[in-house]
């Protein structure tokens, strides 16, 4: 099962490679934001994005992010496994 997990951009770490540090439920990791770098959906610090396999695939609003996080929490173990994967690759 593939999940997109909401996260909030907290820092742009590499403008050349279009990488941002994103907070996902308290875990911070680098995410490729290249798909959302330009145009009407361009993202910046404070924006919420939906992340799948290390890529921000869409910009979402805070309400959608919260609803999605609640739904993922309701899934229980699947969400915990995804968070464990994020923690394993987390940045200090």
């Amino acid at each position: 099962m593939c999940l997109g997990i909401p996260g909030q951009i907290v820092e742009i770490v590499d403008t050349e490679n279009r990488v941002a540090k994103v907070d996902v439920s308290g875990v911070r990791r680098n995410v490729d934001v290249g798909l959302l770098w330009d145009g009407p959906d361009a993202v910046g610090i404070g924006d919420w994005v939906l992340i799948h396999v290390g890529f921000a695939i869409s910009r979402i609003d805070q309400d959608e992010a919260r609803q999605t996080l609640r739904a993922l929490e309701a899934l229980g173990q699947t969400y915990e496994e995804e968070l464990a994967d994020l923690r394993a690759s987390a940045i200090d």
Side-chain angles (χ1 to χ4, degrees), residues 50-81:
L50 195 58
I51 304 162
H52 179 68
V53 294
F55 292 85
I57 58 173
S58 65
R59 184 178 178 181
I60 58 176
D61 64 34
Q62 187 175 22
D63 289 336
E64 183 177 353
R66 287 182 179 161
Q67 289 174 7
T68 303
L69 286 169
R70 280 194 292 269
L72 289 171
E73 288 169 359
L75 289 174
Q77 185 60 36
T78 302
Y79 178 64
E80 290 303 317
E81 290 170 4

mmCIF file of all heavy atoms in Angstrom, residues 50-81:
data_model
loop_
_atom_site.group_PDB
_atom_site.id
_atom_site.type_symbol
_atom_site.label_atom_id
_atom_site.label_comp_id
_atom_site.label_asym_id
_atom_site.label_seq_id
_atom_site.Cartn_x
_atom_site.Cartn_y
_atom_site.Cartn_z
ATOM 1 N N LEU A 50 1.928 17.124 0.248
ATOM 2 C CA LEU A 50 1.702 15.692 0.349
ATOM 3 C C LEU A 50 2.945 15.009 -0.198
ATOM 4 O O LEU A 50 3.381 15.289 -1.314
ATOM 5 C CB LEU A 50 0.465 15.300 -0.459
ATOM 6 C CG LEU A 50 -0.133 13.939 -0.205
ATOM 7 C CD1 LEU A 50 -0.538 13.787 1.263
ATOM 8 C CD2 LEU A 50 -1.333 13.724 -1.099
ATOM 9 N N ILE A 51 3.544 14.115 0.605
ATOM 10 C CA ILE A 51 4.832 13.499 0.271
ATOM 11 C C ILE A 51 4.629 12.019 -0.036
ATOM 12 O O ILE A 51 3.941 11.303 0.690
ATOM 13 C CB ILE A 51 5.812 13.630 1.452
ATOM 14 C CG1 ILE A 51 5.971 15.093 1.839
ATOM 15 C CG2 ILE A 51 7.155 12.990 1.114
ATOM 16 C CD1 ILE A 51 6.550 15.281 3.218
ATOM 17 N N HIS A 52 5.275 11.600 -1.121
ATOM 18 C CA HIS A 52 5.272 10.177 -1.480
ATOM 19 C C HIS A 52 6.668 9.809 -1.947
ATOM 20 O O HIS A 52 7.218 10.458 -2.833
ATOM 21 C CB HIS A 52 4.240 9.906 -2.582
ATOM 22 C CG HIS A 52 4.204 8.478 -3.010
ATOM 23 N ND1 HIS A 52 3.756 7.470 -2.197
ATOM 24 C CD2 HIS A 52 4.574 7.898 -4.169
ATOM 25 C CE1 HIS A 52 3.846 6.319 -2.839
ATOM 26 N NE2 HIS A 52 4.346 6.558 -4.045
ATOM 27 N N VAL A 53 7.255 8.810 -1.346
ATOM 28 C CA VAL A 53 8.602 8.312 -1.628
ATOM 29 C C VAL A 53 9.638 9.417 -1.804
ATOM 30 O O VAL A 53 10.449 9.395 -2.720
ATOM 31 C CB VAL A 53 8.638 7.314 -2.815
ATOM 32 C CG1 VAL A 53 7.900 6.052 -2.487
ATOM 33 C CG2 VAL A 53 8.129 7.926 -4.104
ATOM 34 N N GLY A 54 9.621 10.385 -0.902
ATOM 35 C CA GLY A 54 10.641 11.428 -0.903
ATOM 36 C C GLY A 54 10.378 12.614 -1.799
ATOM 37 O O GLY A 54 11.204 13.512 -1.898
ATOM 38 N N PHE A 55 9.226 12.640 -2.455
ATOM 39 C CA PHE A 55 8.867 13.741 -3.340
ATOM 40 C C PHE A 55 7.585 14.412 -2.854
ATOM 41 O O PHE A 55 6.619 13.733 -2.506
ATOM 42 C CB PHE A 55 8.622 13.241 -4.771
ATOM 43 C CG PHE A 55 9.859 12.751 -5.452
ATOM 44 C CD1 PHE A 55 10.293 11.444 -5.272
ATOM 45 C CD2 PHE A 55 10.593 13.593 -6.268
ATOM 46 C CE1 PHE A 55 11.442 10.983 -5.897
ATOM 47 C CE2 PHE A 55 11.743 13.147 -6.891
ATOM 48 C CZ PHE A 55 12.165 11.838 -6.702
ATOM 49 N N ALA A 56 7.588 15.739 -2.859
ATOM 50 C CA ALA A 56 6.354 16.478 -2.603
ATOM 51 C C ALA A 56 5.558 16.431 -3.903
ATOM 52 O O ALA A 56 6.023 16.905 -4.942
ATOM 53 C CB ALA A 56 6.664 17.919 -2.210
ATOM 54 N N ILE A 57 4.372 15.815 -3.850
ATOM 55 C CA ILE A 57 3.609 15.609 -5.077
ATOM 56 C C ILE A 57 2.456 16.584 -5.247
ATOM 57 O O ILE A 57 1.933 16.724 -6.351
ATOM 58 C CB ILE A 57 3.103 14.159 -5.190
ATOM 59 C CG1 ILE A 57 2.246 13.778 -3.992
ATOM 60 C CG2 ILE A 57 4.281 13.208 -5.349
ATOM 61 C CD1 ILE A 57 1.579 12.423 -4.101
ATOM 62 N N SER A 58 2.049 17.241 -4.166
ATOM 63 C CA SER A 58 1.016 18.264 -4.291
ATOM 64 C C SER A 58 1.041 19.174 -3.072
ATOM 65 O O SER A 58 1.472 18.779 -1.988
ATOM 66 C CB SER A 58 -0.379 17.650 -4.466
ATOM 67 O OG SER A 58 -0.769 16.946 -3.313
ATOM 68 N N ARG A 59 0.580 20.380 -3.289
ATOM 69 C CA ARG A 59 0.429 21.350 -2.210
ATOM 70 C C ARG A 59 -0.968 21.175 -1.643
ATOM 71 O O ARG A 59 -1.928 21.019 -2.399
ATOM 72 C CB ARG A 59 0.611 22.761 -2.765
ATOM 73 C CG ARG A 59 0.559 23.825 -1.727
ATOM 74 C CD ARG A 59 0.803 25.164 -2.401
ATOM 75 N NE ARG A 59 0.715 26.216 -1.422
ATOM 76 C CZ ARG A 59 0.857 27.481 -1.711
ATOM 77 N NH1 ARG A 59 1.096 27.860 -2.943
ATOM 78 N NH2 ARG A 59 0.774 28.372 -0.768
ATOM 79 N N ILE A 60 -1.076 21.163 -0.321
ATOM 80 C CA ILE A 60 -2.380 21.022 0.318
ATOM 81 C C ILE A 60 -2.521 22.097 1.380
ATOM 82 O O ILE A 60 -1.540 22.682 1.818
ATOM 83 C CB ILE A 60 -2.565 19.619 0.941
ATOM 84 C CG1 ILE A 60 -1.486 19.315 1.977
ATOM 85 C CG2 ILE A 60 -2.589 18.552 -0.149
ATOM 86 C CD1 ILE A 60 -1.667 17.994 2.700
ATOM 87 N N ASP A 61 -3.766 22.350 1.796
ATOM 88 C CA ASP A 61 -3.951 23.348 2.844
ATOM 89 C C ASP A 61 -3.880 22.664 4.217
ATOM 90 O O ASP A 61 -3.878 21.441 4.330
ATOM 91 C CB ASP A 61 -5.249 24.137 2.663
ATOM 92 C CG ASP A 61 -6.507 23.290 2.771
ATOM 93 O OD1 ASP A 61 -6.540 22.323 3.554
ATOM 94 O OD2 ASP A 61 -7.481 23.601 2.063
ATOM 95 N N GLN A 62 -3.784 23.474 5.250
ATOM 96 C CA GLN A 62 -3.592 22.963 6.606
ATOM 97 C C GLN A 62 -4.749 22.062 7.042
ATOM 98 O O GLN A 62 -4.534 21.038 7.680
ATOM 99 C CB GLN A 62 -3.412 24.117 7.587
ATOM 100 C CG GLN A 62 -3.050 23.664 8.974
ATOM 101 C CD GLN A 62 -2.747 24.833 9.905
ATOM 102 O OE1 GLN A 62 -3.165 25.950 9.667
ATOM 103 N NE2 GLN A 62 -1.995 24.557 10.945
ATOM 104 N N ASP A 63 -5.979 22.423 6.685
ATOM 105 C CA ASP A 63 -7.124 21.595 7.070
ATOM 106 C C ASP A 63 -7.049 20.212 6.432
ATOM 107 O O ASP A 63 -7.299 19.202 7.087
ATOM 108 C CB ASP A 63 -8.439 22.276 6.679
ATOM 109 C CG ASP A 63 -8.748 23.478 7.532
ATOM 110 O OD1 ASP A 63 -8.251 23.550 8.677
ATOM 111 O OD2 ASP A 63 -9.490 24.363 7.065
ATOM 112 N N GLU A 64 -6.687 20.174 5.154
ATOM 113 C CA GLU A 64 -6.555 18.890 4.475
ATOM 114 C C GLU A 64 -5.432 18.064 5.112
ATOM 115 O O GLU A 64 -5.560 16.853 5.289
ATOM 116 C CB GLU A 64 -6.284 19.088 2.986
ATOM 117 C CG GLU A 64 -6.210 17.799 2.204
ATOM 118 C CD GLU A 64 -6.010 17.999 0.719
ATOM 119 O OE1 GLU A 64 -6.060 19.141 0.226
ATOM 120 O OE2 GLU A 64 -5.795 16.985 0.039
ATOM 121 N N ALA A 65 -4.336 18.741 5.467
ATOM 122 C CA ALA A 65 -3.219 18.048 6.113
ATOM 123 C C ALA A 65 -3.675 17.427 7.437
ATOM 124 O O ALA A 65 -3.386 16.251 7.710
ATOM 125 C CB ALA A 65 -2.063 19.020 6.349
ATOM 126 N N ARG A 66 -4.378 18.180 8.241
ATOM 127 C CA ARG A 66 -4.846 17.670 9.535
ATOM 128 C C ARG A 66 -5.816 16.510 9.360
ATOM 129 O O ARG A 66 -5.746 15.514 10.083
ATOM 130 C CB ARG A 66 -5.488 18.791 10.340
ATOM 131 C CG ARG A 66 -4.473 19.757 10.881
ATOM 132 C CD ARG A 66 -5.111 20.835 11.711
ATOM 133 N NE ARG A 66 -4.080 21.719 12.220
ATOM 134 C CZ ARG A 66 -4.301 22.932 12.666
ATOM 135 N NH1 ARG A 66 -5.519 23.423 12.689
ATOM 136 N NH2 ARG A 66 -3.306 23.681 13.102
ATOM 137 N N GLN A 67 -6.737 16.632 8.406
ATOM 138 C CA GLN A 67 -7.697 15.552 8.158
ATOM 139 C C GLN A 67 -6.982 14.284 7.699
ATOM 140 O O GLN A 67 -7.311 13.177 8.130
ATOM 141 C CB GLN A 67 -8.723 15.988 7.117
ATOM 142 C CG GLN A 67 -9.695 17.029 7.605
ATOM 143 C CD GLN A 67 -10.596 17.544 6.493
ATOM 144 O OE1 GLN A 67 -10.596 17.036 5.383
ATOM 145 N NE2 GLN A 67 -11.372 18.575 6.802
ATOM 146 N N THR A 68 -5.994 14.456 6.838
ATOM 147 C CA THR A 68 -5.248 13.302 6.342
ATOM 148 C C THR A 68 -4.449 12.651 7.463
ATOM 149 O O THR A 68 -4.413 11.421 7.577
ATOM 150 C CB THR A 68 -4.322 13.717 5.180
ATOM 151 O OG1 THR A 68 -5.117 14.308 4.147
ATOM 152 C CG2 THR A 68 -3.565 12.529 4.624
ATOM 153 N N LEU A 69 -3.810 13.464 8.310
ATOM 154 C CA LEU A 69 -3.062 12.904 9.438
ATOM 155 C C LEU A 69 -3.980 12.134 10.380
ATOM 156 O O LEU A 69 -3.620 11.053 10.857
ATOM 157 C CB LEU A 69 -2.319 14.006 10.191
ATOM 158 C CG LEU A 69 -1.088 14.567 9.470
ATOM 159 C CD1 LEU A 69 -0.586 15.827 10.168
ATOM 160 C CD2 LEU A 69 0.009 13.520 9.378
ATOM 161 N N ARG A 70 -5.175 12.665 10.621
ATOM 162 C CA ARG A 70 -6.138 11.949 11.475
ATOM 163 C C ARG A 70 -6.535 10.618 10.837
ATOM 164 O O ARG A 70 -6.631 9.596 11.524
ATOM 165 C CB ARG A 70 -7.363 12.811 11.747
ATOM 166 C CG ARG A 70 -7.156 13.836 12.834
ATOM 167 C CD ARG A 70 -8.475 14.429 13.310
ATOM 168 N NE ARG A 70 -9.108 15.246 12.295
ATOM 169 C CZ ARG A 70 -8.936 16.556 12.142
ATOM 170 N NH1 ARG A 70 -8.135 17.207 12.970
ATOM 171 N NH2 ARG A 70 -9.548 17.224 11.201
ATOM 172 N N ALA A 71 -6.774 10.625 9.530
ATOM 173 C CA ALA A 71 -7.141 9.392 8.834
ATOM 174 C C ALA A 71 -5.999 8.376 8.894
ATOM 175 O O ALA A 71 -6.227 7.183 9.118
ATOM 176 C CB ALA A 71 -7.514 9.691 7.382
ATOM 177 N N LEU A 72 -4.765 8.858 8.729
ATOM 178 C CA LEU A 72 -3.614 7.953 8.804
ATOM 179 C C LEU A 72 -3.455 7.376 10.200
ATOM 180 O O LEU A 72 -3.132 6.194 10.358
ATOM 181 C CB LEU A 72 -2.342 8.685 8.375
ATOM 182 C CG LEU A 72 -2.248 9.016 6.890
ATOM 183 C CD1 LEU A 72 -1.060 9.933 6.623
ATOM 184 C CD2 LEU A 72 -2.157 7.754 6.064
ATOM 185 N N GLU A 73 -3.684 8.205 11.206
ATOM 186 C CA GLU A 73 -3.601 7.717 12.578
ATOM 187 C C GLU A 73 -4.641 6.634 12.822
ATOM 188 O O GLU A 73 -4.385 5.668 13.525
ATOM 189 C CB GLU A 73 -3.762 8.864 13.559
ATOM 190 C CG GLU A 73 -2.549 9.774 13.601
ATOM 191 C CD GLU A 73 -2.780 11.071 14.363
ATOM 192 O OE1 GLU A 73 -3.902 11.306 14.864
ATOM 193 O OE2 GLU A 73 -1.827 11.857 14.447
ATOM 194 N N ALA A 74 -5.798 6.783 12.196
ATOM 195 C CA ALA A 74 -6.856 5.785 12.339
ATOM 196 C C ALA A 74 -6.465 4.460 11.683
ATOM 197 O O ALA A 74 -6.931 3.398 12.089
ATOM 198 C CB ALA A 74 -8.161 6.302 11.738
ATOM 199 N N LEU A 75 -5.597 4.526 10.704
ATOM 200 C CA LEU A 75 -5.132 3.292 10.061
ATOM 201 C C LEU A 75 -4.189 2.503 10.965
ATOM 202 O O LEU A 75 -3.908 1.340 10.709
ATOM 203 C CB LEU A 75 -4.426 3.606 8.741
ATOM 204 C CG LEU A 75 -5.314 4.086 7.609
ATOM 205 C CD1 LEU A 75 -4.463 4.502 6.423
ATOM 206 C CD2 LEU A 75 -6.312 3.015 7.214
ATOM 207 N N GLY A 76 -3.689 3.191 12.001
ATOM 208 C CA GLY A 76 -2.886 2.516 13.012
ATOM 209 C C GLY A 76 -1.537 2.027 12.534
ATOM 210 O O GLY A 76 -0.656 2.811 12.236
ATOM 211 N N GLN A 77 -1.373 0.738 12.444
ATOM 212 C CA GLN A 77 -0.082 0.123 12.195
ATOM 213 C C GLN A 77 0.543 0.597 10.888
ATOM 214 O O GLN A 77 1.741 0.832 10.827
ATOM 215 C CB GLN A 77 -0.209 -1.403 12.184
ATOM 216 C CG GLN A 77 1.114 -2.122 12.052
ATOM 217 C CD GLN A 77 2.079 -1.804 13.196
ATOM 218 O OE1 GLN A 77 1.664 -1.632 14.334
ATOM 219 N NE2 GLN A 77 3.348 -1.730 12.891
ATOM 220 N N THR A 78 -0.239 0.753 9.840
ATOM 221 C CA THR A 78 0.310 1.188 8.552
ATOM 222 C C THR A 78 0.978 2.534 8.696
ATOM 223 O O THR A 78 2.093 2.751 8.209
ATOM 224 C CB THR A 78 -0.800 1.258 7.482
ATOM 225 O OG1 THR A 78 -1.394 -0.027 7.368
ATOM 226 C CG2 THR A 78 -0.243 1.679 6.146
ATOM 227 N N TYR A 79 0.338 3.465 9.389
ATOM 228 C CA TYR A 79 0.904 4.790 9.611
ATOM 229 C C TYR A 79 2.172 4.696 10.450
ATOM 230 O O TYR A 79 3.160 5.350 10.169
ATOM 231 C CB TYR A 79 -0.143 5.680 10.283
ATOM 232 C CG TYR A 79 0.337 7.069 10.617
ATOM 233 C CD1 TYR A 79 0.714 7.951 9.612
ATOM 234 C CD2 TYR A 79 0.405 7.502 11.932
ATOM 235 C CE1 TYR A 79 1.147 9.226 9.915
ATOM 236 C CE2 TYR A 79 0.839 8.776 12.243
ATOM 237 C CZ TYR A 79 1.201 9.638 11.223
ATOM 238 O OH TYR A 79 1.638 10.905 11.522
ATOM 239 N N GLU A 80 2.151 3.861 11.483
ATOM 240 C CA GLU A 80 3.324 3.703 12.340
ATOM 241 C C GLU A 80 4.513 3.160 11.551
ATOM 242 O O GLU A 80 5.649 3.564 11.769
ATOM 243 C CB GLU A 80 3.009 2.800 13.531
ATOM 244 C CG GLU A 80 2.071 3.436 14.544
ATOM 245 C CD GLU A 80 2.593 4.748 15.094
ATOM 246 O OE1 GLU A 80 3.794 4.855 15.407
ATOM 247 O OE2 GLU A 80 1.791 5.691 15.208
ATOM 248 N N GLU A 81 4.258 2.247 10.607
ATOM 249 C CA GLU A 81 5.337 1.725 9.778
ATOM 250 C C GLU A 81 5.925 2.828 8.896
ATOM 251 O O GLU A 81 7.134 2.919 8.731
ATOM 252 C CB GLU A 81 4.827 0.576 8.925
ATOM 253 C CG GLU A 81 4.518 -0.671 9.727
ATOM 254 C CD GLU A 81 3.801 -1.731 8.923
ATOM 255 O OE1 GLU A 81 3.603 -1.537 7.705
ATOM 256 O OE2 GLU A 81 3.440 -2.762 9.516
#
